Amino acid sequence: MKLSYRLLPAAAALLLAAGCATGSQPASNDSGGSGGSADITFSFWGTNSEAASLKAIAAAFEQANPGTKVTTNWIQSDYEQKIQTSIAGGTQSTVMEISNTSLAGFAPSFAEQQVDPGKFVQPNISSALQFQGKYYAMPFAAKPKVMAINVDTFKAAGVPLPSATTPLTLDEFKAIAAKLSHGDGKARVFGSSNLWYRGWLTAAGGGYYNADASRCTFGDETGVKTAQYVVDLQKDRYAPTSLDIQGQDQAQWFAAGRLATFSDFGPWTVADFAKISKPAWTLVPVPGKGFPMEVDGLAISKKATSKQLETAKKFVEFAGTQQVAQDKLIQGNTALGVPIIAASTPTLEKVLPAERNLAAFTTALKNGVVGVSVAREAQISGDADKGMTSYTALGSGKDDVAKVLPRLAAKCTDALKQQ
Amino acid sequence: MTALAQSRPAVVFRTDRPFWRRNISLTIVLYVVLALGSLVFVYPFLWMLATSLRSLAGVGSSGASVLPREFLWDNYSRAITSFPFWRYALNSVLTTLIPIVGTVLSCSLAGFAFARLRVRFSGVVFAVVLATMLLPGEVTMVPQFMLFNNLGMIDTLYPLILPAFFGSPFYIFLFRQFFARMPAELADAAVVDGCGWFKTFWLVYLPLARPAVVAVSILLFMGYWNNFLGPAIYINSDQWKTLPLALAGFQSVNGTDTPLLMATSVLITLPCVVLFFAAQKHITNGITFTGGR
Amino acid sequence: MNPTIGWIRNLAASWGVPDVLVPLVPFLLLLIALYAVIGLAAYGAKRKWPRADKTIAFWLFVSPWLIGFAIFTVGPMASSIYVSLTSWDLITPPKFVGLANYSEAFQDPRVAQALKVTLLYGLISVPLQTALAFLVAMLLNAELPGMRFFRTVWYLPSLVSGVAQMVLFLWVFNPRYGLANDVLGKFGITGPGWFNDASWALPTVILMSLWTVGGAMVIYLAGLKDVPSNLYEAAALDGAGPLRLFWHVTLPQMSPIILFNALTGIIGALQIFTQGFIANGGPKDSLLFFVYYLYDNAFQNFRMGYASALAWVLFAVILALTAVTARGSSFAVYYETELSGRRKRRRTR
């Protein structure tokens, strides 16, 4: 029929037009919120309790500034990927939580900020959020790590309690873990909790990256030695492997007396441990140089309108430097992070009775080692970690760490160079 | 009319005598095999239910046991309150029900056209439709993302809903097969009565296609409810998450709480199970149409 | 976002369209404009060729699919070809690199691994699933009481799919506390690492896929009941025993269904994603399914160009496989219906 002949070319034209229309134009951005309004949106990650803190801070800001609305957006997983996708699509929030380790990758999309280092407890905190000499996020929480110890187990084994202020050395820790481990099978008591390789690498004085982020260093001598340290502790069954704890809750193990020490103890872990009255426990510093301290900041999108920018600046200032907000980091008996202003330090320490020694957090905050910031950090370190857990005994593999780690480090360095 | 299997079901081997009554031993073997197989099959799900009712401590020590020693219904109430469960459920419902309507409408329309409206080029177009069935969706995944990016629909439910209104080759094929089996006289009668083609479709054929529509809807429900890749790509913020996406992100939110995880999985699976039991008959009837014959 | 689209959205927002519906406005406007044009064309055609009712109706009915085909398939495919020739991270403008992505894909060991994992999975799990589903269907075809109960039980597990299924079976196959190793332990066997062991991970996923044969089983069951009983009677009269009945009557009659299901099964298996995502690629990339690797490159590494090239590689592989299967099927399948519309012989029952 003639009609079909007429319509076919039209259809072809339609297809071509559609093809051009879907074309690969870079996203032209406009940040959330309809034009002219001063309301802002705020993205963050975290567990239930962490989200509760951030929502409380947002609510406190709204109260202090009536008429302004802060819409919260809790991204529960793949935070960095989601942020990047939203930036590409122009749907990013006005204010975004960012960790110091990921800052480098996102700094080009953030607005520069004015940060006064003097307001915070130690200079490490504000410098963690600098990129190429400028500030791109306002710090508002730090996450130092400490170690919980089961006082009853130590006393029963006749081992002297570690100092509340001076860290043990790694060798001392290994000896203690050996003394405290006993038992068999499903009832075994471990001297140490599952060992987080990256943490212990920092404790040993090493790190994943070198100071100017040009090379991955976990394949160096310190890296391999620390990996061997972890593997040995697991082999001798002084610490559970990742398979042992898969699907298990280590806090519950600690409460059941199966762990003599628990080393990856962050401010949010307080909630899980607060309900543990038996066995008696207290906090001490992490051995060696301590675990890397994460500093979280609030960044402002570069594409915010001027009204939103104003509100956003007030909000980040409020969250990072005002006691009202900093106190809200602590909700009930859990804390998203340690407050970074001196005025709020007692708030955290008072959450639990004095013998729990929450002051260990304050010490850790003052001495905390801050990691180097690298673009696409989550991806690069994720790939490295996956390699480690696949191939070596750090995870479920069997290969020799001395051979695997340098190989992975080389791959990691290549990925760094691709920035 | 439609080919429902209402005749005597074909006995597997012989039809002269009741085979099973003759071979008691074979019958017993059959039952045993089926029972054992069913046990193996169903066991993980009973275990899922049992685990969802245990406490954290009980999970490590109970092993393979399916007999619940604890009944922590609290796990279920925590599953609902530990994240915005109802919000996610609403998103799942929206991205399931609306696309079902869209798919059924567009596919039945096109299927009818291919079955009843034989005009020049209709064969060619149908061949293209079939060829598209072989196309993996992932070839268009990235550029579709860019398309929706340009349309400003990233981080909304629209990329998950809109494409459904434009037909899906598999279901067009199904409907086409179904409509082809209906007598042509129906169309002729309608045309004689002065109905346009659309009215013929809407008032005559579609109501008769109810079994197919129901079967297709049920299949679609299972597919859309559990869809994961789409939401994983397009949804960034919390308010638009669907249930499978929330389940995937569970451990970043709740830590390692296995009973809670199992309880959440049970809750997410529940609608499909309920739907199955309510619509069993329709599924088995409708399967005749998906047989490809 | 395209600037024109952004302008339309702002316009809509300022007119008071609720925020939730604002993103829909540009798209709706586009559709309305399209259908206005189509409607005019149809009207004009009707005026000029009054007897072309059928043709006009055909194109109108097919128009949603056609428009969708253009916008969501052809258009993206065309631009995907272009993107695969660039290097693009979504934020900075794309950079033309020619065939570099494709040559990288051919040299990338992970691509080879992904193809290996995906093809192994597709070519092993689908025949296994088909065989199991068919076997069970044959058993359930017996005319005995209680078959309906068994049918329900066998179908139920296939309702747990996607993320929930993976989450459950990760726990079932947990090497220390899971169901599988606990049961094996009772027989004195130390179970393997299942998902945590690089050589066991893929077999575990294949094993897991067998739990969902319920869907295919129900289809085969319906098909079995559809086999005309007079064929069996006739063959039995000629002296055929049970095995020959199966080989010469049941199988040929069921072959179109089996082929159809096997084909869609393989295509589906080659696109498996969720399992790879939840397992994060598995130990030593043993669960690096191709679509997951694609997703990883596109949305986690933000290498859009490379991901697009990978998509075309997958397309070529599927095309090749389908061609092979189609050629092979003509030897094995007995068809009664055809697509060109010849009326099916009416069967008396």
Side-chain angles (χ1 to χ4, degrees):
Chain A
M1 294 278 293
K2 290 200 200 138
L3 182 59
S4 301
Y5 283 128
R6 278 282 190 100
L7 287 182
L8 265 184
L14 187 66
L15 294 173
L16 277 175
C20 300
T22 65
S24 35
Q25 304 161 4
S28 90
N29 296 313
D30 63 63
S31 201
S34 22
S37 144
D39 296 339
I40 59 173
T41 45
F42 173 33
S43 286
F44 52 85
W45 73 80
T47 61
N48 269 321
S49 40
E50 293 173 349
S53 294
L54 289 163
K55 289 186 190 159
I57 295 181
F61 178 75
E62 284 180 339
Q63 238 185 353
N65 297 274
T68 329
K69 196 154 157 35
V70 178
T71 313
T72 56
N73 174 21
W74 177 22
I75 298 178
Q76 292 160 355
S77 50
D78 298 315
Y79 183 75
E80 269 99 19
Q81 277 96 41
K82 300 291 183 194
I83 291 288
Q84 175 130 5
T85 322
S86 62
I87 291 177
T91 57
Q92 73 272 43
S93 297
T94 331
V95 176
M96 293 168 269
E97 186 186 1
I98 193 76
S99 100
N100 67 302
T101 48
S102 317
L103 184 65
F106 290 95
S109 309
F110 292 158
E112 201 191 322
Q113 295 188 38
Q114 303 301 324
V115 173
D116 177 7
K119 292 220 164 96
F120 309 114
V121 168
Q122 67 132 318
N124 258 358
I125 292 175
S126 46
S127 61
L129 294 173
Q130 277 185 314
F131 178 67
Q132 292 175 350
K134 306 209 184 96
Y135 292 102
Y136 284 95
M138 170 77 70
F140 81 103
K143 295 175 171 172
K145 298 274 176 66
V146 296
M147 186 164 76
I149 62 173
N150 183 335
V151 177
D152 295 341
T153 318
F154 272 75
K155 291 214 178 104
V159 175
L161 294 179
S163 156
T165 45
T166 322
L168 298 164
T169 67
L170 265 66
D171 292 325
E172 285 171 350
F173 179 75
K174 188 170 182 180
I176 290 180
K179 281 207 206 111
L180 295 172
S181 306
H182 60 267
D184 280 313
K186 289 220 171 124
R188 178 161 180 84
V189 173
F190 295 96
S192 161
S193 57
N194 177 254
L195 299 162
W196 176 36
Y197 170 67
R198 190 168 187 179
W200 287 92
L201 178 59
T202 312
Y208 265 31
Y209 315 105
N210 62 353
D212 60 5
S214 60
R215 207 168 60 83
C216 296
T217 54
F218 57 83
D220 295 354
E221 201 194 315
T222 321
V224 174
K225 228 171 77 169
T226 316
Q228 198 59 49
Y229 176 84
V230 171
V231 168
D232 289 340
L233 270 161
Q234 286 177 176
K235 198 162 44 119
D236 296 327
R237 305 279 283 150
Y238 302 146
T241 65
S242 52
L243 282 187
D244 287 327
I245 57 161
Q246 213 181 65
Q248 299 293 300
D249 184 3
Q250 287 195 94
Q252 191 257 326
W253 276 27
F254 188 91
R258 291 194 60 192
L259 297 174
T261 61
F262 182 85
S263 55
D264 201 10
F265 195 107
W268 55 87
T269 322
V270 176
D272 291 333
F273 275 65
K275 26 185 174 26
I276 303 177
S277 51
K278 259 178 73 87
W281 60 273
T282 187
L283 295 175
V284 298
V286 174
K289 293 217 163 79
F291 285 177
M293 176 173 79
E294 182 183 318
V295 175
D296 290 336
L298 297 175
I300 304 179
S301 155
K302 230 184 189 163
K303 306 285 181 179
T305 65
S306 52
K307 276 206 185 157
Q308 290 172 328
L309 190 60
E310 233 185 273
T311 318
K313 282 199 177 142
K314 273 203 267 181
F315 177 65
V316 305
E317 182 91 32
F318 175 79
T321 59
Q322 301 301 315
Q323 187 177 357
V324 171
Q326 287 282 299
D327 279 352
K328 293 234 181 299
L329 287 175
I330 298 121
Q331 295 280 310
N333 54 18
T334 184
L336 173 154
V338 174
I340 50 178
I341 57 172
S344 293
T345 311
T347 320
L348 176 64
E349 293 181 1
K350 286 205 283 258
V351 166
L352 291 182
E355 67 258 21
R356 300 302 185 210
N357 191 25
L358 284 180
F361 275 117
T362 319
T363 325
L365 178 61
K366 292 221 183 76
N367 306 323
V369 175
V370 171
V372 175
S373 181
V374 150
R376 293 191 307 124
E377 208 285 321
Q379 195 62 31
I380 294 179
S381 64
D383 284 342
D385 288 339
K386 220 166 84 159
M388 287 183 227
T389 48
S390 287
Y391 287 97
T392 71
L394 288 175
S396 53
K398 297 198 175 49
D399 296 346
D400 183 12
V401 291
K403 296 208 184 75
V404 174
L405 255 54
R407 183 164 49 94
L408 290 173
K411 255 208 231 160
C412 169
T413 310
D414 283 341
L416 270 186
K417 295 215 170 84
Q418 261 180 18
Q419 313 278 349
Chain B
M1 259 251 280
T2 50
L4 290 178
Q6 282 179 342
S7 61
R8 179 165 54 93
V11 176
V12 172
F13 301 130
R14 300 165 70 125
T15 60
D16 52 343
R17 259 169 294 183
F19 176 77
W20 297 109
R21 256 176 254 144
R22 248 172 19 113
N23 283 300
I24 298 282
S25 43
L26 214 54
T27 313
I28 294 182
V29 167
L30 179 70
Y31 269 115
V32 166
V33 166
L34 280 178
L36 278 179
S38 312
L39 191 63
V40 169
F41 242 61
V42 138
Y43 205 80
F45 305 95
L46 295 179
W47 197 63
M48 174 166 83
L49 286 172
T51 310
S52 69
L53 291 173
R54 293 200 177 116
S55 63
L56 263 176
V59 151
S61 53
S62 307
S65 155
V66 151
L67 307 164
R69 250 170 286 143
E70 310 170 76
F71 284 94
L72 243 64
W73 295 105
D74 185 49
N75 283 338
Y76 281 94
S77 63
R78 272 199 305 144
I80 298 188
T81 51
S82 69
F83 52 23
F85 182 80
W86 296 114
R87 174 80 218 189
Y88 298 154
L90 175 67
N91 292 333
S92 275
V93 165
L94 286 175
T95 54
T96 304
L97 293 184
I98 305 181
I100 288 181
V101 170
T103 311
V104 166
L105 281 179
S106 58
C107 293
S108 59
L109 209 52
F112 175 77
F114 287 121
R116 291 273 145 234
L117 298 172
R118 305 286 171 69
V119 300
R120 197 173 204 151
F121 294 126
S122 64
V124 171
V125 181
F126 189 55
V128 174
V129 172
L130 288 185
T132 330
M133 232 194 314
L134 306 171
L135 185 73
E138 291 67 33
V139 173
T140 48
M141 188 166 88
V142 170
Q144 266 183 13
F145 176 81
M146 293 182 238
L147 170 66
F148 286 114
N149 196 9
N150 277 328
L151 286 173
M153 286 180 175
I154 301 296
D155 208 21
T156 65
L157 294 180
Y158 291 114
L160 306 173
I161 296 179
L162 290 176
F165 282 85
F166 294 93
S168 151
F170 181 71
Y171 294 102
I172 294 181
F173 177 70
L174 279 188
F175 275 111
R176 189 262 180 202
Q177 296 297 84
F178 182 78
F179 283 122
R181 271 189 267 186
M182 291 171 73
E185 297 80 47
L186 282 173
D188 300 339
V191 164
V192 160
D193 280 347
C195 269
W197 281 107
F198 186 74
K199 274 219 186 117
T200 313
F201 167 73
W202 191 255
L203 297 174
V204 179
Y205 278 87
L206 196 53
L208 289 172
R210 195 148 20 137
V213 169
V214 171
V216 162
S217 302
I218 295 175
L219 283 177
L220 284 175
F221 184 92
M222 311 285 190
Y224 283 126
W225 184 260
N226 288 308
N227 184 23
F228 180 68
L229 180 57
I233 295 178
Y234 291 109
I235 310 289
N236 292 332
S237 45
D238 191 46
Q239 52 169 337
W240 297 118
K241 280 197 168 181
T242 60
L243 285 173
L245 198 57
L247 186 61
F250 185 93
Q251 283 183 312
S252 346
V253 172
N254 287 301
T256 322
D257 191 341
T258 308
L260 192 61
L261 185 65
M262 290 297 135
T264 318
S265 300
V266 169
L267 283 177
I268 293 180
T269 316
L270 215 50
C272 293
V273 174
V274 166
L275 184 67
F276 169 70
F277 278 113
Q280 248 188 74
K281 207 167 38 137
H282 290 117
I283 295 180
T284 42
N285 285 350
I287 292 300
T288 335
F289 310 124
T290 64
R293 301 190 102 217
Chain C
M1 200 183 320
N2 188 301
T4 326
I5 306 280
W7 175 77
I8 300 181
R9 283 178 58 151
N10 289 331
L11 206 58
S14 62
W15 281 344
V17 175
D19 268 350
V20 184
L21 292 177
V22 163
L24 186 58
V25 170
F27 188 76
L28 265 184
L29 285 179
L30 174 67
L31 270 188
I32 293 175
L34 261 177
Y35 268 101
V37 168
I38 293 180
L40 275 173
Y43 180 68
K46 189 122 188 257
R47 289 276 303 270
K48 185 144 189 230
W49 297 284
R51 303 240 313 274
D53 268 3
K54 240 190 181 185
T55 316
I56 297 177
F58 173 78
W59 288 105
L60 277 180
F61 282 19
V62 168
S63 64
W65 174 80
L66 204 55
I67 293 177
F69 183 64
I71 298 183
F72 295 117
T73 307
V74 175
M77 275 177 77
S79 73
S80 166
I81 297 181
Y82 171 66
V83 173
S84 73
L85 301 174
T86 68
S87 163
W88 189 28
D89 71 346
L90 269 194
I91 306 192
T92 53
K95 201 173 57 162
F96 188 79
V97 294
L99 292 174
N101 288 326
Y102 288 97
S103 68
E104 187 188 335
F106 281 113
Q107 291 166 12
D108 187 352
R110 292 186 88 193
V111 169
Q113 170 73 1
L115 276 176
K116 178 171 142 214
V117 169
T118 312
L119 284 174
L120 269 181
Y121 175 78
L123 297 176
I124 298 182
S125 79
V126 174
L128 275 182
Q129 285 184 57
T130 308
L132 183 63
F134 197 73
L135 176 67
V136 176
M138 299 251 343
L139 289 179
L140 289 180
N141 198 25
E143 204 184 337
L144 286 174
M147 286 303 134
R148 246 194 90 188
F149 166 75
F150 282 119
R151 197 193 62 203
T152 310
V153 165
W154 285 87
Y155 185 77
L156 227 38
S158 62
L159 293 174
V160 179
S161 70
V163 183
Q165 179 198 37
M166 191 62 180
V167 159
L168 170 63
F169 279 93
L170 271 175
W171 185 234
V172 166
F173 287 113
N174 183 306
R176 291 275 185 287
Y177 311 102
L179 178 60
N181 279 358
D182 202 76
V183 168
L184 285 176
K186 293 197 162 61
F187 289 104
I189 311 172
T190 337
W194 302 110
F195 283 114
N196 293 295
D197 186 333
S199 33
W200 276 92
L202 189 57
T204 312
V205 175
I206 294 178
L207 190 60
M208 184 175 81
S209 73
L210 292 181
W211 255 268
T212 51
V213 290
M217 175 204 76
V218 172
I219 293 179
Y220 291 139
L221 196 55
L224 280 174
K225 294 203 194 290
D226 242 9
V227 175
S229 47
N230 51 8
L231 285 179
Y232 284 120
E233 287 161 6
L237 271 164
D238 280 347
L243 220 58
R244 297 196 73 187
L245 275 174
F246 176 74
W247 191 253
H248 289 285
V249 180
T250 318
L251 263 190
Q253 287 291 311
M254 292 291 292
S255 53
I257 305 182
I258 298 180
L259 178 74
F260 185 73
N261 276 302
L263 197 59
T264 43
I266 291 187
I267 294 181
L270 292 178
Q271 299 176 38
I272 173 178
F273 169 77
T274 309
Q275 285 84 335
F277 182 88
I278 302 286
N280 215 12
K284 294 194 196 176
D285 279 350
S286 52
L287 292 180
L288 191 71
F289 293 108
F290 203 89
V291 178
Y292 171 65
Y293 188 50
L294 220 169
Y295 171 89
D296 186 55
N297 273 300
F299 299 105
Q300 291 184 335
N301 276 329
F302 293 101
R303 300 188 61 199
M304 295 292 161
Y306 189 55
S308 300
L310 288 180
W312 284 104
V313 171
L314 179 67
F315 182 56
V317 169
I318 292 189
L319 214 56
L321 261 174
T322 318
V324 166
T325 322
R327 276 334 274 298
S329 79
S330 52
F331 294 112
V333 175
Y334 167 75
Y335 271 115
E336 226 186 275
T337 50
E338 292 155 55
L339 295 174
S340 64
R342 208 183 59 182
R343 291 280 289 271
K344 203 165 98 130
R345 266 175 291 133
R346 300 191 65 212
R347 293 204 297 250
T348 47
R349 285 190 174 255

